[in-house]
Every structure is written in structure tokens, then in C-alpha cells.
Amino acid sequence: MSAPPISLRETNASITDRVSDITLERPTGRLWMCAFALSFVLTAWLGAGIVWLLARGVGIWGLDIPVAWSFAIADYVWWIAIGMAGTFISGGLYLARQGWRNALNRYAEAMTVFAVSVSGIFPILHLGRPWFFYWLAPYPDRMGVWPQWRSSLFWDFSAIVAYLIVSVLYFYIGLIPDLASLRDRARTRGKQVFYGLLAIGWRGEARHWQRFETLNLLLAAMAVPLVFSVHSMVALDFSEGLLPGWHSTIFPPFFVAGALFSGFGMVLVLGIPLRRFFGLGDFITDRHIANLAKLMLAAGLFVDYSYASELFNAFYSGDRYEIAHAMQELTGAYAWVYWTIIGCNVVAIQAIWFERVRHSHAALFVIALLVLAGMWFERFLLIVSSLYHDFLPSSWGMFYPTFWDIAFLAGSIGLFFLLFLLFVRLLPLLPMFELRKLRARLDREAA
Amino acid sequence: MSRRWPRVSRNEGIAAAIGLLALIACLLLGLHAPREVLLSYLFAWLFWLAPALGSVGLLMIHALTGGDWGLAMRPALFAASRRLLLMALLLLPVLVGVAVLFPWAGAQAAADPGLDAQRWWLNAPFFVVRAVIVFGLWLWLARGMRRRLATPAAGRFAAAGLVLYALTVSVAAIDWVVSLVPRWHSTVFGILLGTAQLLSAAALAVWLSVSGRDPASGWWTPRRLNDLGSILMVLVLAWGYLAFMDYLTVWIADLPSETVWYLPRVKTGWRWLGAFLLLFHLALPFAVLLSRQAKQRVAWLAGLALWLFLAQIGYVAWLVLPGLREHALAWSDPLALIGIGGLWWLGFGAQRRAALEVQA
């Protein structure tokens, strides 16, 4: 029998005390302040970039013909991918009745909501005239303009909007019982009002719980298919482009796996420090971290399989453009990116096969960071390597990032962490009621 | 467990005899039209390979995830995985008939310069070598998994085994299905075929485990039945998702190297098979499995599982047959299905009972 998913030292009271004290009683630490300040500066940089972009247009990025998509789209795919793992942990593992997930789902869902929100900035700004972004939505207007229903871009937009709505709802609904606990335990008037409003009158009646459980199940069942639809649509955005390297039938599942891969990486990158700084080892146990590492390995192996399948099929097909594209990736101007990806996404994760590595949090933290970097580079390479060498040698050309490309990437990371740090201070980090339920179940099983 | 030949029941003996007769009939038909009959044979062989190979995959997946569903299905999976050696022997006609069956291996193809770039992979000696290696690995995986079940080493073996499994199934998918249409290629096809095989194996195992003949049927609680239904649901959805994404990616681009495979399927009478699969292999099972009440009833669940298993005949036909011979269907199709199927069950009952006793 493996280790219990929550330390047996914890009781119902201690779970509530410890988790709610982080939000209500614990003073804001210096480390948090430093992190917040840094994120704030980066976010301000992003803000400046947005203002400059609105004034000057997307030309401030390094975009040009032939490489007309680059950092912004890579950032967008990277961020939305990171969100997927949160939904998988809270929705997928819930449907599969994996009780150990309970300690992870709250912050993973928060990660999802913030990552999806950050990702949405990029395609909108990339439109060129972002203030008309609502033209993407199908609505009856006097111009008689409708979206192109056969374009995956429209379905991509729909999938993201649906996903954002469902993940925000899922996150918020799951918070309500805990918000009510905070309301009841808050000692200042301001906090009572703040959490009281958010708890929308939750009193913990049996009827409340019954409806809550039904709704939770429904939302989980809705959220999990959305993970697949969102990333499949992102994949089809590329497939529609027909370029060698952009068009491949494995793309939809490959993108989904890649999304989960980087998402598990981010869950580890966030979870390992959280666990350490807030002393949450009783809740986020070694077993959680090891399980996350295994999930990351599994998703990574599927991603690696896709690399192999694409490479093999290029040569199997005998198609000169497919072969030329494969050779460009292996030896061309961006080959250093390709081999970085292989190092991060293929080689580095193999260490997780070893039990010692799965129990070393420092090692997992480093591997997860490498995975995040590797997956960003992968999106970058996917986009640029197909564009810079297309069918006609006369239209080949390199891509070079500008100052503002870097600003948007760094700034989006800043914005994500800014939101996450606020979440850490203002909302309960772990789902208290689910942990109590888990604890009760362990007792029942022991008895 | 004895390592002797398993006992063969009377029904199995009759089935095998009928199967042998059907295969002899195939052989006689084959003297007249070797290519048509070999194609039927490949189709039937692939259909019966699926439950044997997919069972190995499911045993490995279960070793990693755990859960009641796998324990419930284990005896059937166990016995099905023992059919792999038989399937390896039955591959021989395909290996012998490579030059007749596969368009890239015939005499005409040798002179076709359009195939030159693919010859490094598509040549008969390498094809045979790959088949031997792939089956060698599968047999080793199946044996290794059966031996390690319920031991601490199972998880580790299964994790590494699944990597090998995915790679070998993909090689097999390219060799035995994709290469029937040279120039066509699809990166997703390996996992698509692999998922269909898992579905076939799970459907057969659920049907066998749940249907009334099972001595352990007192063991069935609504929750366990529900879990088995959910496994079928997951696999049906995964298969449908992958198949649809393959189609959508091809449709959206309309490139000749990809449509060459779909045109005989959607522009001829075969489209009705496609519609059938969409409605009765995806939509109907999905609708039934959505209902908790249906999943928790033995009769419904067993019936649906059997239905899914049989519907795979349609799917394998869709993968193999269209566009490769003059007539859509041939008498040799059912004969080959019955022929290999008859032999497939030889000793199955005894092996399943043996596995049940081990578990008890």
C-alpha cells in the first residue's frame, strides 16, 4: 500500500486551521513582497508593450514576410497549454476517482484560469486591429458579416471562450464552501464582507451540498472534453496552413499531450515552492509530487512519440518537401532550437524513470523548468521552421526577435505570477472541504 | 498452472474444425484469385489480432493505473493474450504473399520510379524482418506481463513495455495497413490502430467477463459494472476522436497524398460503411454508455460490449478493403473471418478458467 495522500496527523480542525490561517492570519512575507514587486515590474513592461503596440501596430514585433507568426503565437500556444493540466487534475482525475488529487486541484485550477487569461491577450493583439476582435464572434450585424465557418480559427476562438467560461465557473464553484469557511473565521469586518460576498450565501445545508456535488460533477464532465477541443483546434489552426511541418494528422492528440506535459511541468514548478514556503508537506505529500512527475513523464513520452512519428513519416512519405523540412529542423539555421527541445523534452525527462529522482524535489523542479522551456521552444520552432523555408527558395528568410517580442514574453510571465501571487494571498490554497472529506474516507477505510 | 497444451472443449473443437474448413475453402478460392483472397485474409487476420494484442496493452495499462476494472477483465485478457503465438503463425500467408498482396512489392511496382523514395522502408526482406522482430517483442511483452502480474515489478515492466508497445504497434500499422496504399501516410495512424485494438480487446473482455456464464458473476456490483462501462466509453471516445481528427485534418487540407486514401472510402459505396461506423460504432455506444442505468445492467453492458467487438469487423474492413479490388466484398471475407476466428478460440475456455483460479 502506498503512502496516504494526506498526513494522518491532520484532523478536520487542523486542516481548516492551517489552510485558512495562510489566508487570514499569516502576515505577508518579505519573499512574497519581493516576488510581487518583480512580477509587477514585468507586468508594467507588458502594459507598456501593449500601449506601444496599439499605437504602432504589430510591426513592433519581429514579424515580417515570410515569418508572419512568431513569438506572440508561440506565447499564446504555450500559455493556453499550461492551463490544460489544471483542468485535467481537477476534472479528469475527479472523474477517474483519484482521491489523491484533492490537495492539488485548487492551485492547479487557479493556474488554469490565469494561464488561459494570459494566453488570450496574444491572439487578440495579433489581430492588427484588436479593437475589432468581437468580429470573430458570430452575431447578426448590419454589415452582414459572418465568420468563415470552415476555418479552424473561428472554432479555435469558440473553443477558447468556452474553455475560459467553464474553467472560471469550475474554479469559482469549487471555491464556494471554502469561501464560506473563511467568511465564518474572518475577524475583521472587511474580510467578512469580502468573503461573505464571494460565498454567495453558502450555509452548508445538506441541500446545498447535494446541488454542489451535482454541479461539480457536471462541470468536470464538461471541462475535460474542452481540454481536448481547445488544443485540437489549436493544432488544426496549423494544419490548415498546409506547410510541411504544420500539417500532420497526429497534431491534435500531440498538441493535447504537449499541453498536459507543460501543464504538469508548471504544476510542479508552482507546487514545490508553495509546499516549502507554506509548510504544506502534510497535504502535498511526496506521493503527490512523485505522481505528478509520473504524469509529466507519461505525457512527455507521448510527445516524444509524436516527434518520432513525424520524423519517420517525413522520410517514409518520400515527399521532397517533407524531407527537406525534416532536414531543415535537424541541421538548418534553427537546428540549435531543435536540439534544445530534444535535450529538454526527450532526454531530461528520462531521469524521472529513477525513483531517486522522483523523490528529489530539487531535481524535479529543475526538470519541470526545462520542460517548460523546451515546450516554449517547441512552439517557436514549429511556427518559425515551417515559415522561414517554405516551398519557394526565393521567399526564404530568417526571423529575429525584437525588444518588444521579449517584452511580451517576459511580461506575460510577470502577469501570470502577479495573478497567482494574489491568489496565494487572498484565496485558500488548498480545498479544505475536499481534504476533510479525504481524511474522513481514510478513517472509514481504516475502520 | 501447467505449461501443457490447454484442454479443448467440444465447442472449441467444432469451431476449430469449421475454421479449418473455411481456411481450406479460402485456399481453393485463392488459387483462382490470389490477391483478392489474400486481402480478405489480411482483413480477417487484423480483426482477430486486435483482441490478442490489445489485451497485452490493457494488461500493461492496468498494471500502471490499477483499479477494479482490470481485475474483472484479467482472466479474459490473460487468455486472449495467449493467442499471439497463433496470430504470429497465421501471419505466414501474408509474408509469403507479400509480392501479390502489397502494391509496392509487385513486379509492376519495381519499375515505378514514383516509389523509389520509399523503397528504403518498403521492400520485402525488410518487411519480413520487421514482422519477425515485432512479433518477437510482442510475445516477449505478453509473457513478461503475464508472469509479473500482481508482483511489484509489474508497474516498471509495464511502463517500459508500453513504450515498446506503442512503437511496435505503429510499425505494424504502417506495414500491414498504411503500405497497402503507397504514397499515403498519416502520422496518427499508429495510435489510431492501437486504440482500435485496445477497444476491441476491452469489448471482448467485458462481454466475456460480464455475460452470465461467468462463475464470478456474484461479484458484480453496480459500481464495478459502471467502471467497465466507463472503460468502454473512454476507448470509444478516444478511437472516435483520433479517427475524426485524422479525417478533419485531411479534409481541411485536401492534399493528394492524403486524399488518395479517403477517396475510395467516401466517394464510393463504402461511404455507407463510414456512416454506419459513425452512427453505430460511435454515436449509439456513446449514447448508451452515457446512461448510468444502462451501464449498470449486466444484459445491456454485455450486449453493448459484444456489439462493439463485432462492429470492429466494420472498422477493420474500412481500413483494409476499399479501393483495392474490383468488387467491394468477396466470399472469401466471411470465410477468412470464420476461418481464423474458429482457430482463435481453441483452448480459450480452459486458459480463462486457469487464470480465474489463479486470481481466486
Side-chain angles (χ1 to χ4, degrees):
Chain A
M1 188 64 201
S2 44
I6 180 170
S7 164
L8 298 173
R9 281 197 303 269
E10 302 293 337
T11 62
N12 280 345
S14 74
I15 290 169
T16 315
D17 283 343
R18 290 189 54 189
V19 178
S20 63
D21 282 356
I22 294 175
T23 317
L24 294 175
E25 309 294 335
R26 195 182 159 109
T28 305
R30 189 172 294 165
L31 198 65
W32 186 92
M33 290 302 277
C34 291
F36 189 82
L38 182 64
S39 310
F40 190 82
V41 170
L42 288 174
T43 308
W45 197 16
L46 174 69
I50 292 176
V51 170
W52 190 235
L53 181 116
L54 290 175
R56 298 292 301 269
V58 290
I60 64 165
W61 291 330
L63 304 175
D64 205 343
I65 299 302
V67 184
W69 269 12
S70 65
F71 265 50
I73 301 296
D75 297 344
Y76 151 66
V77 180
W78 189 60
W79 277 117
I80 197 155
I82 284 170
M84 299 297 149
T87 313
F88 180 82
I89 288 171
S90 53
L93 296 182
Y94 173 71
L95 295 180
R97 293 202 301 262
Q98 299 288 316
W100 60 271
R101 91 192 216 298
N102 283 344
L104 303 176
N105 60 353
R106 173 66 46 73
Y107 85 82
E109 274 174 53
M111 174 192 89
T112 295
V113 171
F114 302 146
V116 175
S117 309
V118 170
S119 83
I121 296 173
F122 290 98
I124 289 180
L125 291 178
H126 207 287
L127 288 172
R129 291 185 293 170
W131 46 94
F132 290 134
F133 81 94
Y134 59 89
W135 285 10
L136 281 165
Y139 64 97
D141 63 314
R142 293 205 294 175
M143 297 182 292
V145 175
W146 292 91
Q148 168 58 276
W149 303 101
R150 289 185 166 201
S151 163
S152 36
L153 288 175
F154 167 72
W155 294 103
D156 190 22
F157 170 75
S158 315
I160 298 172
V161 172
Y163 185 61
L164 183 64
I165 293 171
V166 170
S167 50
V168 169
L169 270 179
Y170 193 37
F171 176 58
Y172 177 61
I173 302 285
L175 267 171
I176 290 174
D178 281 355
L179 290 170
S181 303
L182 290 184
R183 171 199 63 198
D184 298 342
R185 300 169 72 87
R187 281 186 298 194
T188 65
R189 185 70 190 151
K191 283 178 183 173
Q192 282 166 351
V193 171
F194 178 70
Y195 294 113
L197 285 173
L198 283 175
I200 53 172
W202 177 272
R203 293 185 304 276
E205 278 179 39
R207 210 167 36 157
H208 284 183
W209 282 110
Q210 193 208 352
R211 285 180 187 162
F212 173 83
E213 291 290 342
T214 311
L215 186 57
N216 225 9
L217 181 68
L218 285 176
L219 282 172
M222 265 195 276
V224 174
L226 285 173
V227 170
F228 285 83
S229 72
V230 170
H231 247 73
S232 302
M233 285 304 155
V234 175
L236 290 169
D237 287 346
F238 289 99
S239 276
E240 207 172 24
L242 305 192
L243 289 171
W246 272 22
H247 178 83
S248 185
T249 50
I250 205 171
F251 268 14
F254 162 55
F255 272 50
V256 173
L260 293 174
F261 183 41
S262 55
F264 291 133
M266 188 60 110
V267 174
L268 280 170
V269 164
L270 295 174
I272 291 172
L274 277 183
R275 175 183 190 277
R276 193 181 161 84
F277 295 134
F278 292 105
L280 298 173
D282 282 355
F283 306 112
I284 303 175
T285 61
D286 279 344
R287 185 177 154 203
H288 288 95
I289 302 288
N291 279 357
L292 279 173
K294 283 182 192 170
L295 285 173
M296 187 168 80
L297 177 64
L301 288 172
F302 188 89
V303 169
D304 297 351
Y305 170 88
S306 307
Y307 295 159
S309 175
E310 274 187 67
L311 210 54
F312 170 81
N313 270 281
F315 290 101
Y316 170 81
S317 73
D319 181 303
R320 56 189 293 200
Y321 298 108
E322 294 279 347
I323 294 174
H325 176 258
M327 292 307 291
Q328 273 303 323
E329 289 209 323
L330 296 174
T331 60
Y334 294 97
W336 65 273
V337 182
Y338 185 81
W339 295 107
T340 308
I341 295 168
I342 297 295
C344 293
N345 295 354
V346 180
V347 179
I349 57 168
Q350 306 306 328
I352 301 174
W353 287 99
F354 299 99
E355 195 155 357
R356 264 186 60 191
V357 175
R358 287 202 299 273
H359 290 285
S360 157
H361 294 181
L364 287 178
F365 186 76
V366 172
I367 293 173
L369 278 179
L370 286 176
V371 166
L372 283 171
M375 286 309 286
W376 188 86
F377 275 119
E378 185 201 290
R379 275 59 176 260
F380 173 76
L381 184 75
L382 178 90
I383 292 166
V384 173
S385 79
S386 288
L387 287 172
Y388 96 108
H389 266 214
D390 69 354
F391 300 99
L392 278 179
S394 60
S395 58
W396 290 354
M398 290 289 290
F399 166 80
Y400 298 101
T402 63
F403 172 81
W404 291 110
D405 278 311
I406 310 288
F408 274 77
L409 174 59
S412 66
I413 295 173
L415 176 59
F416 173 81
F417 277 99
L418 186 83
L419 293 169
F420 197 80
L421 286 165
L422 285 174
F423 156 75
V424 166
R425 284 308 295 143
L426 294 176
L427 295 172
L429 261 180
L430 307 176
M432 297 180 270
F433 72 96
E434 288 194 55
L435 289 173
R436 292 193 298 259
K437 213 158 67 179
L438 179 68
R439 188 70 189 79
R441 209 192 70 209
L442 289 180
D443 281 344
R444 262 204 315 279
E445 279 169 8
Chain B
M1 211 186 316
S2 89
R3 312 217 11 84
R4 297 270 190 84
W5 291 100
R7 263 195 44 210
V8 175
S9 75
R10 217 185 109 163
N11 287 344
E12 287 167 0
I14 295 172
I18 294 175
L20 220 49
L21 285 177
L23 284 182
I24 291 170
C26 272
L27 190 68
L28 293 176
L29 283 172
L31 295 175
H32 173 63
R35 189 171 142 73
E36 279 71 7
V37 173
L38 265 178
L39 197 65
S40 306
Y41 184 84
L42 178 68
F43 147 68
W45 182 82
L46 281 170
F47 171 75
W48 287 106
L49 173 69
L53 184 58
S55 295
V56 183
L58 288 173
L59 284 172
M60 289 194 286
I61 291 172
H62 181 248
L64 283 182
T65 63
D68 270 357
W69 62 271
L71 297 179
M73 286 155 59
R74 191 181 277 173
L77 294 176
F78 217 84
S81 74
R82 287 181 174 271
R83 315 267 80 78
L84 267 180
L85 188 61
L86 174 75
M87 295 316 291
L89 293 176
L90 289 177
L91 182 64
L92 279 176
V94 175
L95 295 184
V96 172
V98 168
V100 182
L101 180 56
F102 290 93
W104 48 264
Q108 278 174 317
D112 183 355
L115 288 174
D116 281 349
Q118 287 183 281
R119 273 188 228 286
W120 67 275
W121 183 265
L122 296 181
N123 62 76
F126 193 20
F127 179 88
V128 174
V129 169
R130 287 194 302 264
V132 171
I133 294 175
V134 157
F135 258 105
L137 286 171
W138 287 344
L139 288 167
W140 176 72
L141 281 178
R143 228 174 96 116
M145 204 58 237
R146 285 195 300 260
R147 283 194 176 170
R148 287 182 180 76
L149 276 184
T151 66
R156 186 168 281 263
F157 183 82
L162 276 171
V163 174
L164 260 184
Y165 182 81
L167 292 174
T168 46
V169 168
S170 306
V171 169
I174 287 161
D175 280 359
W176 303 333
V177 184
V178 176
S179 83
L180 285 169
V181 184
R183 295 193 190 87
W184 173 57
H185 54 99
S186 166
T187 43
V188 81
F189 195 80
I191 51 169
L192 174 55
L193 190 74
T195 311
Q197 289 176 338
L198 293 179
L199 174 58
S200 168
L204 185 67
V206 169
W207 173 58
L208 288 170
S209 316
V210 173
S211 53
R213 278 163 288 166
D214 198 312
S217 53
W219 192 68
W220 293 113
T221 59
R223 180 149 166 157
R224 281 181 173 141
L225 290 170
N226 200 71
D227 282 358
L228 290 187
S230 301
I231 291 293
L232 290 180
M233 175 75 133
V234 167
L235 287 170
V236 164
L237 285 179
W239 164 79
Y241 165 76
L242 293 173
F244 177 66
M245 284 302 152
D246 185 72
Y247 178 74
L248 190 58
T249 307
V250 171
W251 176 83
I252 215 169
D254 213 9
L255 294 171
S257 63
E258 293 175 334
T259 50
V260 64
W261 194 74
Y262 274 106
L263 285 178
R265 284 165 179 76
V266 296
K267 292 288 180 193
T268 67
W270 284 104
R271 73 163 75 99
W272 298 111
L273 177 61
F276 169 84
L277 290 172
L278 192 63
L279 287 174
F280 296 101
H281 197 356
L282 181 64
L284 176 81
F286 174 74
V288 173
L289 288 170
L290 215 48
S291 152
R292 209 176 277 181
Q293 281 173 332
K295 272 192 283 193
Q296 294 176 356
R297 259 184 228 153
V298 168
W300 277 78
L301 185 62
L304 189 83
L306 180 61
W307 170 250
L308 281 171
F309 178 66
L310 294 177
Q312 277 287 313
I313 296 176
Y315 185 59
V316 179
W318 168 265
L319 293 180
V320 176
L321 298 180
L324 291 180
R325 59 183 178 198
E326 249 169 70
H327 303 289
L329 293 169
W331 282 108
S332 48
D333 295 340
L335 283 175
L337 266 184
I338 294 169
I340 298 177
L343 296 178
W344 201 89
W345 293 98
L346 209 63
F348 190 92
Q351 286 174 339
R352 190 158 74 96
R353 273 191 300 280
L356 265 178
E357 279 158 22
V358 169
Q359 194 167 315

